Amino acid sequence: MAKPKYIESPFKMWELFCEYAGKTKERKRVIEKATPRGVVKESHEVPLTMVGFECYVADQGLNENLDQYFANREDRYSEYVSICSRIKKSIRQDQIEGGMTGQYNASITQRLNGLTE
């Protein structure tokens, strides 16, 4: 008998990702910057990352490692392939668009997503 999956369906995985994305975008990081007029606090949006999603899922007590779902080893997670692809694209879109608009560090965004100048 096959071992039950921690994330029982592709729909549940997408639901988890949407929760992660929503909570991540609600959070802000406050950065203090020195200016000629003194220290200014800037609020920055937190980017979506695969590591952040994995940590979110682990914090829910579901799974410490999503590699099996995304790698689909031995075709055990075939029904998750399209949703995993969608999640990766959503994260990449957030990072690339954030880098292009100056919201995130463009150099880091390029490296994370295998983009070249």
Side-chain angles (χ1 to χ4, degrees), residues 92-110:
R92 188 168 189 208
Q93 176 185 12
D94 177 67
Q95 292 175 357
I96 292 171
E97 288 176 357
M100 291 176 75
T101 61
Q103 179 181 12
Y104 310 143
N105 182 299
S107 178
I108 293 172
T109 300
Q110 283 178 298

Side-chain angles (χ1 to χ4, degrees), residues 7 10-24 48-50 52-54 56-57 66 70 83-84 86-92 94:
I7 301 172
F11 176 79
K12 178 64 178 171
M13 181 170 292
W14 181 249
E15 197 173 67
L16 284 165
F17 177 73
C18 289
E19 289 170 14
Y20 156 72
K23 289 182 180 192
T24 299
L48 301 179
T49 64
M50 194 63 211
F53 180 49
E54 286 180 322
Y56 179 79
V57 171
L66 296 179
F70 283 82
I83 209 67
C84 288
R86 178 75 173 97
I87 288 168
K88 286 194 277 188
K89 287 178 182 177
S90 294
I91 290 171
R92 188 168 189 208
D94 177 67

